[in-house]
Amino acid sequence: MLKFTAEHEWLKLEGDVATVGITTHAAEQLGDLVFVELPEVGAELTKDGNAATVESVKAASDVYAPLDGEVTEVNQAIVDDPSLVNSDPEGAAWFFKLKLKNVSDADGLMDEAAYKDMIA
Amino acid sequence: MDDQTNDQTALKITPLHALHLELGAKMVPFAGYDMPVQYPLGVMKEHLHTRAAAGLFDVSHMGQVIVKAKSGSYADAALALEKLVPVDILSLKEGRQRYGFFTDDNGCILDDLMITNRGDHLLVVVNAACKDQDLAHMKANLEGCDVTLLEDRALIALQGPRAEAVLAELWAGVSAMKFMDVREVPLHDVDCIVSRSGYSGEDGFEISVPQAHAVAVAKALLEHPDCQAIGLGARDSLRLEAGLCLYGNDIDTTTSPIEASLEWAIQKARKTGGDREGGFPGATRILGELSNGTTRRRVGLKPEGKAPVRSHAKLYADAQGVTEIGEVTSGTFGPTVEGPVAMGYLPVAQATPGTQVFAEVRGKYLPMTVAALPFITPTYKR
């Protein structure tokens, strides 16, 4: 199941684990990324708290935690090559996997249609 | 250039505004103007294109100002302006340009500018954000001179190793110009003022065009396959790699020219013992610093890791953030350097290239090495 946040993140839910990344729209808005900083595996994230940082030539931007949970895995590939976030934001350029504190929290997020309406 | 203003309500536009929209630019408010920050190519490729070929920049937001003595004498205009800038303007030859800065009574920098000897008058180009203030400053203080803002001219920068070839399509005489030469030439049957200078570290030109013809000239230049429109985003990363100051970031009314490592712009005639020693605002401090040095200096800073270190990041002598010693004034990712680059101020003792300092970024202390400026090798045609 795919969910979206107003902060332009996508979550792919599998059981109680969400794979999180930023949307194509967000990647386009940010422009060419040159640096990505990801949370540590094991970090406890709080919804709307800072989870990661991405930087373009122009500016740094925060990526917020979409829900409460614990980071179980991070994608080193986007740290090594930040441009992957521009080329495949909703695929290979996922950011981290989050073991959700309450899976039901995801019910409050947008589905794809609602997100598309929001950015339209 | 200056910090951007975000007042969207009263944004001014340049004569090339419609062309930017036609080219698909992403527009942002900058110094009161609606300006292109990038085109569909994106900041990274725009930067690299400028270093490899030629980039066209709209810098029409900058102020082009004529200073003419009522006597009609160049020397009178030059000597009047010398009262505001620590630069030798009197000996500037006709058709030559020089960098300078307005100083205040504290010996700090009110704005930086380009000054051209145009025969019987001076043409000065000032930053967009300081334009009104500079104009008032000159009108109030340039005795016996008429000061006129040219509001009917665009300014187009053409920068990069192919800039000469691109401009040669419109004017074959371009190859005779050297760095900092200024010529009045017909481009597209329009009288333009062309200087061989810029803000990218590359060879290139700045072209002052009557506004009614600005789009035609820009389009004629963009027709060349090597020429691409470039936004303010890449303009900033290009100038930072080239070690050039951004007014409002790297220099302002809290920095003296000597602290800013700009003493190269003060010629012998204006220094202690020179023909026209001092005689500009803040001369006591500036000449004193030329003799005795300063406590801090603007330096290049190379982050050792991959993270860009941005302006206002605090600099420390130690990795624990105990002893604060300075601040980053500009920082970004340098596409040509293929890594982060920055500039900032450090105490003289820590300002030697090779010195390691630490910048506070998101609660971490990231190592940076003081580096010689510029970060790239300029290609100015001297």
Side-chain angles (χ1 to χ4, degrees):
Chain A
M1 188 172 40
L2 209 52
K3 289 284 190 180
F4 293 83
T5 73
E7 302 290 346
H8 308 288
E9 289 142 322
W10 56 265
L11 293 85
K12 190 176 164 201
L13 291 159
E14 287 160 308
D16 63 351
V17 175
T19 303
V20 180
I22 66 169
T23 65
T24 303
H25 174 78
E28 282 169 1
Q29 292 298 311
L30 290 164
D32 303 318
L33 293 187
V34 297
F35 178 76
V36 175
E37 190 169 70
L38 294 173
E40 304 276 331
V41 170
E44 295 281 349
L45 302 184
T46 310
K47 181 175 161 60
D48 300 330
N50 283 357
T53 302
V54 293
E55 301 211 25
S56 67
V57 177
K58 282 267 332 148
S61 307
D62 292 322
V63 175
Y64 301 105
L67 294 170
D68 294 348
E70 182 190 338
V71 176
T72 58
E73 201 177 335
V74 296
N75 186 5
Q76 184 62 31
I78 62 171
V79 175
D80 297 338
D81 179 10
S83 73
L84 199 56
V85 181
N86 296 107
S87 57
D88 193 11
E90 298 188 22
W94 59 276
F95 277 52
F96 51 84
K97 294 188 180 183
L98 199 59
K99 187 177 181 347
L100 301 179
K101 200 168 166 187
N102 303 299
V103 179
S104 60
D105 290 349
D107 298 343
L109 301 176
M110 282 179 271
D111 62 16
E112 191 161 10
Y115 178 71
K116 282 189 168 160
D117 279 349
M118 190 192 85
I119 60 171
Chain B
M1 296 200 294
D2 199 5
D3 286 333
Q4 60 190 50
T5 33
N6 291 309
D7 181 1
Q8 302 243 16
T9 55
L11 285 181
K12 291 181 270 192
I13 61 169
T14 73
L16 297 181
H17 190 262
L19 179 61
H20 301 316
L21 299 182
E22 188 185 321
L23 293 172
K26 182 176 168 188
M27 306 298 285
V28 297
F30 183 89
Y33 286 80
D34 193 35
M35 296 298 286
V37 66
Q38 65 174 79
Y39 296 87
L41 197 58
V43 176
M44 185 88 86
K45 290 194 179 104
E46 288 174 31
H47 176 115
L48 295 171
H49 182 91
T50 304
R51 293 243 187 273
L56 183 145
F57 306 71
D58 180 9
V59 290
S60 305
H61 57 316
M62 298 182 78
Q64 303 177 64
V65 182
I66 298 278
V67 176
K68 187 168 185 174
K70 293 186 199 301
S71 65
S73 142
Y74 172 78
D76 288 348
L79 290 169
L81 190 58
E82 283 195 0
K83 291 193 172 120
L84 301 183
V85 300
V87 175
D88 180 356
I89 302 170
L90 186 63
S91 73
L92 187 62
K93 292 189 173 64
E94 183 172 347
R96 292 287 294 165
Q97 188 176 51
R98 205 160 247 182
Y99 174 77
F101 24 78
F102 293 118
T103 52
D104 66 15
D105 290 336
N106 300 319
C108 291
I109 302 174
L110 289 169
D111 193 12
D112 60 347
L113 66 154
M114 298 300 292
I115 306 155
T116 299
N117 177 342
R118 293 266 298 136
D120 63 349
H121 66 272
L122 291 160
L123 172 62
V124 307
V125 179
V126 301
N127 284 300
C130 302
K131 190 155 65 177
D132 296 341
Q133 159 207 314
D134 290 343
L135 206 62
H137 185 53
M138 287 190 280
K139 282 184 170 169
N141 295 296
L142 297 183
E143 281 170 37
C145 292
D146 290 320
V147 177
T148 314
L149 178 67
L150 299 177
E151 295 189 85
D152 55 353
R153 294 184 83 91
L155 193 62
I156 297 168
L158 181 66
Q159 301 281 294
R162 295 289 292 156
E164 181 182 300
V166 171
L167 189 52
E169 296 283 334
L170 302 190
W171 175 50
V174 57
S175 59
M177 288 182 75
K178 295 224 181 308
F179 184 56
M180 294 295 212
D181 277 351
V182 182
R183 298 281 177 271
E184 189 163 328
V185 294
L187 300 180
H188 231 253
D189 298 325
V190 183
D191 278 338
C192 296
I193 302 164
V194 177
S195 68
R196 194 157 198 163
S197 56
Y199 194 50
S200 66
E202 300 298 325
D203 180 27
F205 304 87
E206 289 191 348
I207 308 164
S208 171
V209 190
Q211 69 175 18
H213 303 277
V215 170
V217 170
K219 280 189 169 173
L221 295 167
L222 287 168
E223 258 176 36
H224 195 291
D226 289 344
C227 187
Q228 157 74 36
I230 309 294
L232 292 178
R235 183 167 158 86
D236 189 55
S237 53
L238 287 160
R239 70 91 196 166
L240 182 44
E241 284 185 341
L244 300 170
C245 289
L246 172 61
Y247 190 82
N249 277 45
D250 308 302
I251 50 176
D252 58 26
T253 53
T254 69
T255 57
S256 80
I258 316 306
E259 289 177 328
S261 304
L262 295 173
E263 59 275 10
W264 55 267
I266 305 175
Q267 289 79 22
K268 198 176 159 196
R270 308 303 307 280
K271 293 184 188 174
T272 304
D275 291 344
R276 296 183 310 291
E277 167 183 335
F280 50 85
T284 307
R285 174 181 177 177
I286 292 167
L287 297 183
E289 287 183 353
L290 272 172
S291 302
N292 307 320
T294 60
T295 55
R296 59 174 194 152
R297 294 277 278 175
R298 177 178 62 94
V299 296
L301 294 162
K302 183 82 192 75
E304 291 174 18
K306 290 172 73 177
V309 179
R310 309 279 177 181
S311 61
H312 306 301
K314 299 266 183 272
L315 294 169
Y316 295 86
D318 56 90
Q320 293 75 43
V322 176
T323 310
E324 189 181 324
I325 53 173
E327 194 177 286
V328 171
T329 52
S330 283
T332 187
F333 179 87
T336 302
V337 172
E338 296 183 327
V341 290
M343 299 198 291
Y345 284 81
L346 282 174
V348 169
Q350 277 107 340
T352 311
T355 308
Q356 191 182 53
V357 298
F358 297 86
E360 184 179 0
V361 178
R362 296 183 285 273
K364 293 178 188 166
Y365 298 92
L366 307 181
M368 301 179 94
T369 308
V370 176
L373 291 173
F375 292 103
I376 49 105
T377 305
T379 58
Y380 308 133
K381 193 186 163 191
R382 295 194 190 267

